[in-house]
Amino acid sequence: MSALITITILALLLLYLGLFKAKKALLPVALIGLMVALVLSLMEWDSNAAPIFSNMMLYDRFAVAFSGITIFLTILIIALSKDYFERISSNVAEYYALILFSLAGIILMVSYHNLSMLFIGIEIMSVSLYILAGIKKRDFASNEAALKYFLMGAFSTGILLFGVTLIYGASGSFDLEGIKQYILKDPTAVSPLLYTGITLLIVGLSFKVGAAPFHFWVPDVYEGSPSLISAYMSTVVKVAGFAAFLRLIMFSFAPLQDFWIPMIIGMSVLSLLIGNVTAVYQQHFKRMLAYSSISHVGYMLFAIIALNGSSDNAVFVYAAAYSVATIIAFGVLILLQGQVGNDSFDSFNGLARKNPFLALTLTIAMLSLAGIPLTAGFIGKFMMFSKALSSYHIFLVVFAALNAMIGIFYYFKVIVAMYFKEEDRKELIVPVYFKLVLGFSALVTIALGVYPDFIASLI
Amino acid sequence: MSLLSILIFLPLFAGLIIVVLPSSVREGYKYVALAAVIIQVLISAYIYLHFNGNVFTGIADQNKYQLVERLPWISLNLGAMGKLQIDYFLGLDGLSMPFMLLTSVVMLVALLASWEIKINLKGYFALFLLLDTAILGVFSALDFFLFYIFYELMLMPLYFLIGIWGGVRREYAAIKFFLYTLFGSVFMLLVIIGLYFSVTDPATGYHTFNMLSMMDPKNYVEGSIFSALAHNELFGVSARLLGFIVLFIAFAIKVPIVPLHTWLPDAHVEAPTPVSIILAGILLKVGGYGILRVCVSIFPDAAIQSAWWLGLIGIVSIIYGALNALAQTDLKRLVAYSSISHMGFVLLGIASITPEGISGAMMQMISHGFLSSMLFFLVGIIYSRVHDREIPHFRGLALIMPKFSAFIMIAFFASLGLPGFSAFIAEAFSLIGAFNSESINGLLPRWMAVCGTLGILLSACYFLWTLQRMFFGETRLFGGEKWKIQLTDVNAREVTALCILTAFALVLGIMPSLAFDKMNASVLELIRLVNLK
């Protein structure tokens, strides 16, 4: 719990630093503060997890693991923000503070034990993101992204809230344990209100994670938002959304599997299909990443379809692999957009010759996203496929395997452009922070792929 | 760390050295690589000499493997599903040991051919050595997951080697090659996972990826998807048969069989010479090796069930490959199609499931490894001199390149199965196996052997016709006098590489026992295992 308090205080501290014009200190303070929060949250690993704050939250291993990974990813992203916000406006402290506020919401989302806390967490996160998506005030796309994100977000939260109330109506409780007990009492004679409630909850959360058919906002918002914020949304926010989803389903709704599994399978298939097929036709790297992120949701849903005690483990590994690789991709994208002003696949031509380091890290990221062995992404996909096969969803896995092939096709477009196409170009200038983040992330990706034990046995 | 691990990771280590070396010593990279590959040849020669084929029969018994190394690698806790146990598990038996030597020799030849590479040397040699590691790993891995990792690891370096250093349509060829192979291996992964859930390790009781455990029907969980007793069905087909087919397709793409061969001519034509040598010399053998080690050993019942089809595919590949070779005007494409034709004998031999047939198939893989490397090396020599390899553009080369022509005659005659060379023994044994199959186990009808013989005839046609068109007669060249000057005869480096290959083809042709003695016991053991079902 100390992580949540640290992050909130850190955000306030940054606002004060901004007030006193200590701009140079913002980034280091934010990084150090987050590292402290990371350590504090990991220290609660083996503590006896009991619900706290009148059963509002439960900081169990699940919560520790997912808040650990979200904080870790935020550190990586904030490290990429050096000189990024300055180009947009001179009041940068607010941006850092907003990111941290949304992170505070995310910590709530992964550790709630009461549906009202889930709602509050989502709102804290979303409101900060609505602003962040639109920080490029003079940019039309950014404004569009903010508006779209706001409308869709508000709409989905409404649906979510409606679901929560229906569940309350049926079970008389907001508490995860209470709902579970209500279902377990007699799983065959559950009030129909509850079924409606579950459906609406799933729909609301699917909006948040961007699973098809509730994905329409994803490409436009990711494309329009400033790249750094897109990176944050497609990694940290997505992981948090998924953790919230999984926590709800694992904790409370597991006995009603027969009801919601077909829904999730449908969403998974649609996400895979729409995400992958549309990504093939993209000409721009950022939009391709947006669609591919939809397809990755499809894979992650496998863990929910084949729900058992190790689902959290599988999602954790997959999310970590996916997020780290995505951060590399967005890191390169930020450099490219800043210095070339374009992110079409052609603008990657000949990058390997001028920036071998960038090309290498981006290649590792693409291989990981494509799920090639010896990268973290392969381990993630392997775990998802094993899970789904262990519960005999053979059609689904065959379908997913075909989709993985399609995925390789578009991820390799970038590699082809960088290595196989020659073009005279200027060398991109890579700041030290970027080198650190990209190199570190690439190392993590390979290390996870070669020796996944140390992370996968965490939860 | 056993000798085998050293052998596998030595190239990787050399590759890392090349990566960290400054580019001012660019000319030194190839010598680092050469040193590594020569040490590799020496180690594998040592392994060959100290390999006792009668003791180390291998196949399904860990104690009968030589140089076994088994360390726990990944152990993921999967909650209700128990523990995911993946071992770093290596070992050699009569089926894999010959390929270690073959790989080392072919890599040496390919490296000698790499002298022609002029751009981006650091990347080239690093990838080359990474590929070397992956190939050696595939041939020695006994854990299915480890096998898969090495199998996939072969793809990446090859993709870049074709894509960066290849010809005009390199991008297309590289992605085609990649997607084809990946198509097979993605589904192979699903079967691997299925096998994993079906098999438990008798020692620990956990599910396991150990290939040797998968070969023993006793280790299958009752009622599990691939259990032979449960007779499960998937999509209306017996699960074991389906598993066999999926694995077979994955490896058959590598072999390649008709109709899954279309990536091969493209990849060969676009790939630089050394990569063609590796592709034809070793990678196609990974397919054949995989069919023996994985498909036949793990699914023997399904192998017998589909033997007729395997034989048919073999015949079709032999004839179709040969007919296509006849129609080619590009010398490299011709050699590529001849590879498809010759690899058909491997399939035919395996399908017969007789000692002669499988020994013949093994021999054909080894022999073809040396001979196809030689052919591609020879094609590369012409191409590197005039950047052309259209057959009609050359005539009477024997007059201006006598030594080269001597080598090409050796290679052509050896490939078409002239007695005294390894290919003769290999093809003869495969055909004997196919011919005897009807009386021994009734798997293959005799006409298949007859059709196979037709393939030898066709290969004589296309090789001799090419010889006639390109090398005999008056010298007439498309490029005129300029080409005459450029077409210098083979130099010392090329002679070395070619002599190595000639020597192997000749020695194996005269004394085939050098190879048969090492693998015979394993082949018999494999057949015993298959006939248990």
Side-chain angles (χ1 to χ4, degrees):
Chain A
M1 218 15 43
S2 34
L4 178 60
I5 298 164
T6 318
I7 291 170
T8 322
I9 293 176
L10 182 63
L12 294 173
L13 180 70
L14 288 178
L15 279 180
Y16 274 102
L17 282 178
L19 199 63
F20 295 113
K21 306 282 179 210
K23 270 185 202 157
K24 290 258 179 251
L26 283 174
L27 184 59
V29 169
L31 286 178
I32 293 168
L34 280 173
M35 281 175 201
V36 171
L38 181 62
V39 172
L40 286 176
S41 100
L42 293 182
M43 273 165 60
E44 295 184 47
W45 182 246
D46 273 326
S47 58
N48 272 334
I52 46 175
F53 302 139
S54 324
N55 291 342
M56 281 294 166
M57 294 173 72
L58 173 60
Y59 216 63
D60 54 0
R61 286 191 169 197
F62 180 98
V64 175
F66 279 99
S67 49
I69 184 91
T70 44
I71 296 173
F72 170 75
L73 294 172
T74 313
I75 291 177
L76 289 184
I77 289 172
I78 285 195
L80 291 181
S81 75
K82 172 129 175 82
D83 300 332
Y84 186 82
F85 294 129
E86 278 81 350
R87 272 184 271 143
I88 295 169
S89 136
S90 52
N91 304 321
V92 286
E94 284 81 348
Y95 302 146
Y96 287 108
L98 280 171
I99 291 182
L100 290 176
F101 281 134
S102 79
L103 185 64
I106 281 167
I107 304 284
L108 283 181
M109 281 168 69
V110 300
S111 56
Y112 66 95
H113 194 259
N114 188 302
L115 289 181
S116 57
M117 289 314 282
L118 170 67
F119 173 70
I120 291 171
I122 286 183
E123 279 303 273
I124 295 178
M125 176 194 82
S126 302
V127 171
S128 319
L129 282 176
Y130 301 147
I131 307 170
L132 284 170
I135 54 176
K136 279 188 173 171
K137 270 183 289 191
R138 317 237 172 264
D139 183 39
F140 183 71
S142 180
N143 280 304
E144 183 196 337
L147 185 65
K148 223 170 205 165
Y149 195 37
F150 172 69
L151 288 177
M152 284 296 185
F155 185 54
S156 69
T157 328
I159 292 177
L160 184 93
L161 205 53
F162 192 20
V164 171
T165 52
L166 286 179
I167 286 175
Y168 180 76
S171 67
S173 174
F174 285 131
D175 188 65
L176 291 186
E177 190 64 31
I179 299 168
K180 184 182 178 182
Q181 291 310 328
Y182 166 74
I183 295 173
L184 281 180
K185 206 167 59 195
D186 189 1
T188 50
V190 184
S191 153
L193 278 185
L194 189 88
Y195 287 122
T196 323
I198 292 176
T199 313
L200 289 175
L201 261 183
I202 288 180
V203 170
L205 284 169
S206 303
F207 262 114
K208 290 290 170 199
V209 298
F214 310 107
H215 66 283
F216 292 104
W217 58 275
V218 174
D220 292 338
V221 172
Y222 283 15
E223 195 188 14
S225 307
S227 292
L228 192 78
I229 305 302
S230 309
Y232 185 74
M233 288 199 283
S234 62
T235 55
V236 181
V237 173
K238 202 155 240 179
V239 174
F242 229 91
F245 203 155
L246 189 65
R247 192 175 176 86
L248 182 69
I249 293 220
M250 270 178 94
F251 226 104
S252 299
F253 299 142
L256 296 177
Q257 284 197 12
D258 292 340
F259 170 68
W260 50 258
I261 277 187
M263 249 192 300
I264 308 273
I265 289 183
M267 278 173 13
S268 169
V269 168
L270 273 180
S271 303
L272 286 173
L273 188 71
I274 294 174
N276 277 311
V277 173
T278 327
V280 171
Y281 292 102
Q282 300 309 315
Q283 296 303 321
H284 289 264
F285 185 57
K286 199 174 177 185
R287 221 173 156 81
M288 184 276 276
L289 282 177
Y291 279 107
S292 92
S293 83
I294 299 174
S295 76
H296 283 285
V297 171
Y299 293 114
M300 281 200 262
L301 285 172
F302 279 23
I304 297 183
I305 292 167
L307 192 72
N308 64 23
S310 66
S311 287
D312 46 359
N313 203 338
V315 168
F316 183 68
V317 174
Y318 198 101
Y322 158 77
S323 306
V324 172
T326 308
I327 285 178
I328 299 181
F330 273 101
V332 178
L333 176 72
I334 290 171
L335 287 177
L336 202 69
Q337 280 183 327
Q339 296 175 33
V340 182
N342 188 348
D343 71 322
S344 70
F345 286 120
D346 289 337
S347 60
F348 285 87
N349 286 358
L351 194 69
R353 207 150 259 275
K354 292 289 176 191
N355 293 77
F357 172 75
L358 270 191
L360 180 69
T361 49
L362 187 57
T363 305
I364 292 173
M366 289 296 119
L367 294 182
S368 180
L369 288 175
I372 304 291
L374 292 185
T375 59
F378 171 70
I379 299 292
K381 278 216 175 62
F382 176 74
M383 289 180 81
M384 290 300 171
F385 284 8
S386 326
K387 282 200 74 65
L389 273 184
S390 72
S391 57
Y392 289 91
H393 288 96
I394 294 168
F395 269 117
L396 183 64
V397 178
V398 170
F399 181 74
L402 284 174
N403 274 284
M405 301 269 311
I406 303 176
I408 285 164
F409 183 74
Y410 57 80
Y411 287 124
F412 271 53
K413 270 191 193 167
V414 187
I415 300 179
V416 167
M418 288 193 301
Y419 282 92
F420 300 172
K421 292 190 177 154
E422 296 294 329
E423 193 177 284
D424 271 340
R425 61 180 301 147
K426 272 192 262 159
E427 188 180 335
L428 296 180
I429 302 149
V430 187
V432 181
Y433 272 96
F434 273 75
K435 276 192 181 142
L436 284 178
V437 172
L438 295 180
F440 176 72
S441 307
L443 270 184
V444 168
T445 304
I446 296 285
L448 272 181
V450 177
Y451 200 73
D453 262 23
F454 67 91
I455 174 171
S457 46
L458 273 182
I459 305 189
Chain B
M1 206 176 195
S2 83
L3 200 56
L4 209 46
S5 290
I6 295 175
L7 181 62
I8 293 174
F9 291 105
L10 176 82
L12 186 67
F13 181 67
L16 288 178
I17 291 181
I18 289 177
V19 169
V20 295
L21 277 181
S23 51
S24 54
V25 291
R26 193 181 299 121
E27 291 305 313
Y29 295 154
K30 54 189 174 200
Y31 294 106
V32 175
L34 187 64
V37 175
I38 286 178
I39 298 174
Q40 184 190 333
V41 171
L42 293 178
I43 295 179
S44 38
Y46 174 85
I47 291 176
Y48 169 81
L49 291 174
H50 287 75
F51 183 83
N52 186 337
N54 295 320
V55 177
F56 300 112
T57 53
I59 308 296
D61 185 354
Q62 190 189 328
N63 297 321
K64 294 196 172 159
Y65 277 86
Q66 201 182 21
L67 297 170
V68 173
E69 187 165 10
R70 192 171 182 177
L71 300 166
W73 175 28
I74 302 175
S75 65
L76 298 177
N77 200 344
L78 292 185
M81 296 191 301
K83 227 167 167 190
L84 186 75
Q85 258 194 317
I86 301 170
D87 289 341
Y88 175 74
F89 183 18
L90 305 173
L92 288 183
D93 67 354
L95 291 186
S96 48
M97 195 280 301
F99 290 113
M100 299 304 265
L101 191 59
L102 175 76
T103 307
S104 305
V105 174
V106 172
M107 280 317 227
L108 178 64
V109 173
L111 194 63
L112 289 175
S114 304
W115 256 239
E116 306 291 343
I117 301 289
K118 297 286 182 252
I119 53 161
N120 206 344
L121 294 176
K122 178 178 273 195
Y124 177 82
F125 286 106
L127 287 170
F128 184 94
L129 291 165
L130 178 64
L131 178 63
D132 196 0
T133 290
I135 296 170
L136 291 169
V138 165
F139 284 126
S140 50
L142 292 178
D143 185 283
F144 214 156
F145 191 86
L146 185 67
F147 178 89
Y148 182 80
I149 296 273
F150 279 126
Y151 187 82
E152 288 280 277
L153 188 61
M154 292 191 312
L155 282 183
M156 282 324 298
L158 260 178
Y159 174 72
F160 284 107
L161 285 173
I162 297 175
I164 299 180
W165 290 273
V168 184
R169 289 167 70 234
R170 54 180 189 262
E171 249 177 71
Y172 169 77
I175 196 75
K176 188 169 179 183
F177 157 78
F178 195 88
L179 286 180
Y180 250 98
T181 318
L182 207 82
F183 175 78
S185 61
V186 164
F187 289 98
M188 173 158 90
L189 182 66
L190 301 187
V191 176
I192 295 177
I193 298 173
L195 277 167
Y196 166 78
F197 286 121
S198 306
V199 177
T200 53
D201 187 342
T204 60
Y206 290 132
H207 288 297
T208 178
F209 283 102
N210 186 339
M211 281 200 236
L212 310 185
S213 303
M214 292 174 181
M215 293 174 198
D216 188 348
K218 283 199 288 294
N219 294 333
Y220 282 78
V221 179
E222 219 173 293
S224 58
I225 183 123
F226 284 127
S227 163
L229 301 171
H231 297 295
N232 276 313
E233 289 207 342
L234 286 176
F235 312 121
V237 186
S238 148
R240 278 183 73 81
L241 184 62
L242 194 69
F244 174 83
I245 292 172
V246 169
L247 289 180
F248 174 75
I249 289 177
F251 292 121
I253 290 172
K254 276 260 188 242
V255 168
I257 61 163
V258 176
L260 301 172
H261 66 285
T262 57
W263 63 270
L264 185 91
D266 284 317
H268 270 308
V269 168
E270 299 307 323
T273 306
V275 177
S276 285
I277 292 175
I278 298 171
L279 256 180
I282 314 170
L283 284 178
L284 307 191
K285 279 76 211 173
V286 172
Y289 171 77
I291 292 175
L292 280 175
R293 167 72 74 222
V294 176
C295 297
V296 176
S297 305
I298 295 180
F299 295 105
D301 44 345
I304 287 182
Q305 216 178 326
S306 26
W308 192 87
W309 290 101
L310 259 59
L312 185 72
I313 292 170
I315 293 296
V316 170
S317 301
I318 293 174
I319 306 278
Y320 182 84
L323 288 175
N324 260 300
L326 267 176
Q328 299 308 316
T329 55
D330 180 330
L331 187 59
K332 209 172 185 185
R333 264 191 119 79
L334 181 137
V335 178
Y337 275 107
S338 87
S339 282
I340 297 174
S341 172
H342 285 138
M343 290 305 285
F345 285 100
V346 175
L347 219 54
L348 187 65
I350 293 174
S352 74
I353 317 202
T354 55
E356 303 91 325
I358 293 186
S359 302
M362 285 290 292
M363 192 63 159
Q364 173 74 341
M365 287 196 264
I366 298 163
S367 146
H368 183 255
F370 294 126
L371 289 175
S372 63
S373 307
M374 191 165 169
L375 287 170
F376 279 113
F377 197 105
L378 288 162
V379 176
I381 289 177
I382 294 192
Y383 187 71
S384 69
R385 284 168 175 53
V386 294
H387 296 281
D388 196 331
R389 46 177 188 239
E390 282 292 310
I391 296 172
H393 291 177
F394 300 88
R395 189 160 175 79
L397 279 178
L399 291 177
I400 52 170
M401 303 173 81
K403 276 189 266 176
F404 177 80
S405 305
F407 277 115
I408 216 152
M409 277 176 222
I410 295 173
F412 277 9
F413 278 110
S415 298
L416 62 82
L418 190 74
F421 287 102
S422 50
F424 169 71
I425 305 281
E427 283 167 12
F429 270 69
S430 311
L431 289 173
I432 293 172
F435 201 74
N436 282 350
S437 168
E438 186 166 300
S439 46
I440 293 177
N441 49 24
L443 292 177
L444 298 184
R446 292 235 158 87
W447 62 261
M448 283 193 182
V450 177
C451 288
T453 325
L454 199 63
I456 300 186
L457 199 66
L458 284 171
S459 76
C461 289
Y462 59 76
F463 275 131
L464 294 180
W465 191 32
T466 310
L467 204 59
Q468 211 180 350
R469 281 183 290 171
M470 286 184 77
F471 293 89
F472 297 161
E474 265 176 65
T475 307
R476 272 209 307 268
L477 301 169
F478 181 70
E481 288 302 312
K482 195 166 139 237
W483 277 22
K484 227 173 206 171
I485 300 160
Q486 284 169 332
L487 283 168
T488 49
D489 213 339
V490 279
N491 60 30
R493 172 178 58 83
E494 289 156 352
V495 170
T496 317
L498 291 169
C499 282
I500 297 173
L501 294 171
T502 314
F504 272 100
L506 206 55
V507 167
L508 282 178
I510 297 168
M511 292 173 65
S513 58
L514 285 177
F516 282 145
D517 280 357
K518 302 282 180 185
M519 60 200 188
N520 193 28
S522 290
V523 170
L524 291 177
E525 174 69 18
L526 176 66
I527 289 167
R528 190 187 68 81
L529 185 84
V530 173
N531 287 332
L532 278 182
K533 308 292 133 56

